[in-house]
Amino acid sequence: MKILVFEYVTGGGLNNQELPESLFAEARLMLTELLALLTRLPSVTVLVMLDKRVVNAINLVNAEPIVLESGQHWLELLVKSTHECDAVWPIAPEFDNLLALVCNTVQSAGKRLLSSPADAVSLTANKFFNLSALMSL
């Protein structure tokens, strides 16, 4: 089984802007730990999307990099890469519906999504809206 890991910050979501060190440090930690776990699974090949700027800063732990070049859009590469795998493990922020977009992209490709489905992410992403709706009951 091939699993694609897409973490938004390290995977190129900020490709066309400066990469804030604090966000990168947090993202790198999440990604490195997930890769360390997934690459221990027997019969699993791990692919990971990476912004070209961070390739040398990530411990790939036997994962195969898919490198996002400068000027390339992360979503285009995600769509292409999704077709090369059996499942996708997304890590993305909930703001601007980014996580829902990634989940929907994977589901539309007919691939296994290793997270909540896009409609569940959309429903629960806006904490303020959900809290307001609950308070009005």
Side-chain angles (χ1 to χ4, degrees), residues 5-7 10-11 24-38 47-50 54 58-61 89 91:
V5 175
F6 172 70
E7 192 289 317
T10 58
F24 173 67
E26 188 176 321
R28 180 178 56 198
L29 180 62
M30 285 188 292
L31 178 62
T32 301
E33 290 302 315
L34 180 57
L35 293 177
L37 292 171
L38 289 176
L47 309 173
V48 59
M49 266 182 60
L50 290 175
V54 305
I58 302 293
N59 183 357
L60 291 176
V61 194
W89 190 310
I91 303 170

Side-chain angles (χ1 to χ4, degrees), residues 68-82:
L68 182 78
E69 299 293 332
S70 300
Q72 196 175 14
H73 195 277
W74 66 269
L75 187 55
E76 291 175 11
L77 185 58
L78 178 66
V79 169
K80 179 182 175 200
S81 301
T82 296

